[in-house]
Amino acid sequence: MADAPVPKKQLGQHWLTDQSALQAVADAADITPQDVVFEIGPGLGNLTELITLSAKKVFAVEFDEQLADELPNRVAADNLEAISADIMKFDLRVLPAGYKVVANIPYYLTSNLLRLLCESPNPPVQMSLLVQKEVAERVAAEPGDMSILAVSVQFYYQAELGNVVTADMFVPPPKVDSQILKLVRHPQPLFPDVDVPNFFRVVKAGFSNRRKTLLNSLSGGLAMDKTEVKGAIESAGLNPEARAQTLSLEDWHSLYLVVVAHQKPANVS
């Protein structure tokens, strides 16, 4: 096996070496012998090796060309295919439907990667992601602490927090702890009666200023008269003085329905 290369700071590389933590990440994916797994950022292959023991096939995409080239030598598995590519430009449609994702994600990439995976025309059915602890908590938040990120992910997936992986388990240690985030795709759309871009237009307007009430945020973000917005919010069974972070996904759905009843969809998008 080739010597481990020096982690590249500009790529956010931190090698996870703790065996129990690696096993916990692999276990959160619930991999069966019938599963195709897409690993993002395999690095040295410490996690890859565990995944190949359980999966039918593993596609591992690595941005670092050197690491991608060396991965088959580090992990001797017939069911492994290493791919050198930028995940943000990777066409997920080439993967078989029903695949699962396992990834130790660089912190700087997390939000954009989550959006890519959630909104893909060929999304994973389940994900086991090792992300910054604060981000994991934001994604799995409940009403009272919601954010656009939480709504955007929970719209598509059920989120569950797993083990905390402390910074000292990585080489080199990052500045913050990480946590396993388990995401399971909803078998059916939560709200089949929504136009997704319009739904998130309403959500983004609501979160446009966390310090403002729904009444002020929505009227400004959707360019609607305050009286009209107040009526829409109350029709959805909500308090115009509430803040966006207190709303559940069901609340956003109710609000979306009454807002589009007041505005033509073309004006909401």
Side-chain angles (χ1 to χ4, degrees):
M1 180 178 289
D3 293 336
V6 176
K8 297 174 182 175
K9 185 177 181 180
Q10 68 272 25
L11 296 182
Q13 292 177 344
H14 298 272
W15 313 138
L16 178 60
T17 57
D18 184 89
Q19 198 62 31
S20 63
L22 289 164
Q23 190 64 59
V25 177
D27 290 346
D30 299 321
I31 301 169
T32 73
Q34 290 75 45
D35 285 331
V36 171
V37 177
F38 186 55
E39 185 186 10
I40 301 168
L44 301 182
N46 296 334
L47 183 55
T48 315
E49 188 170 7
L50 292 176
I51 301 169
T52 58
L53 295 176
S54 304
K56 176 182 179 181
K57 178 75 175 181
V58 178
F59 295 96
V61 62
E62 172 61 57
F63 182 79
D64 189 318
E65 189 173 350
Q66 179 188 354
L67 291 179
D69 290 343
E70 293 176 353
L71 186 63
N73 297 325
R74 296 182 185 280
V75 181
D78 293 337
N79 60 340
L80 172 64
E81 182 175 334
I83 304 166
S84 177
D86 180 350
I87 181 57
M88 297 308 298
K89 299 177 182 177
F90 190 84
D91 187 357
L92 297 171
R93 293 173 296 181
V94 303
L95 298 170
Y99 68 96
K100 296 179 177 179
V101 163
V102 176
N104 176 13
I105 304 176
Y107 297 153
Y108 73 90
L109 196 60
T110 306
S111 294
N112 288 335
L113 183 55
L114 281 170
R115 179 174 179 178
L116 174 74
L117 294 167
C118 288
E119 298 178 0
S120 170
N122 182 30
V125 296
Q126 186 165 328
M127 293 187 261
S128 174
L129 309 175
L130 189 57
V131 299
Q132 185 176 340
K133 184 174 182 289
E134 179 185 349
V135 174
E137 292 173 344
R138 283 178 58 206
V139 170
E142 297 182 354
D145 293 306
M146 296 293 280
S147 63
I148 289 181
L149 181 62
V151 174
S152 299
V153 175
Q154 292 179 31
F155 183 84
Y156 298 100
Y157 289 87
Q158 177 182 337
E160 178 183 331
L161 294 175
N163 293 10
V164 173
V165 179
T166 54
D168 59 3
M169 294 181 180
F170 294 87
V171 178
K175 294 180 180 179
V176 296
D177 293 337
S178 298
Q179 189 164 15
I180 297 171
L181 177 64
K182 180 177 179 178
L183 301 175
V184 180
R185 189 86 176 182
H186 299 307
Q188 301 294 332
L190 280 184
F191 312 116
D193 58 347
V194 307
D195 175 78
V196 176
N198 288 337
F199 176 84
F200 281 105
R201 177 70 173 95
V202 175
V203 172
K204 289 175 182 176
F207 279 103
S208 59
N209 191 325
R210 289 176 64 89
R211 296 181 181 181
K212 289 186 177 181
T213 63
L214 273 179
L215 175 60
N216 289 327
S217 294
L218 288 174
S219 60
L222 298 176
M224 291 175 65
D225 179 78
K226 280 192 176 183
T227 302
E228 191 176 16
V229 172
K230 185 174 185 291
I233 296 172
E234 291 175 340
S235 296
L238 301 172
N239 183 351
E241 299 301 310
R243 296 320 200 256
Q245 57 266 34
T246 66
L247 271 61
S248 66
L249 265 76
E250 290 73 18
D251 291 335
W252 284 114
H253 177 234
S254 299
L255 189 56
Y256 160 83
L257 292 177
V258 293
V259 166
V260 296
H262 284 76
Q263 278 195 328
K264 293 179 180 179
N267 293 333
V268 180
S269 61

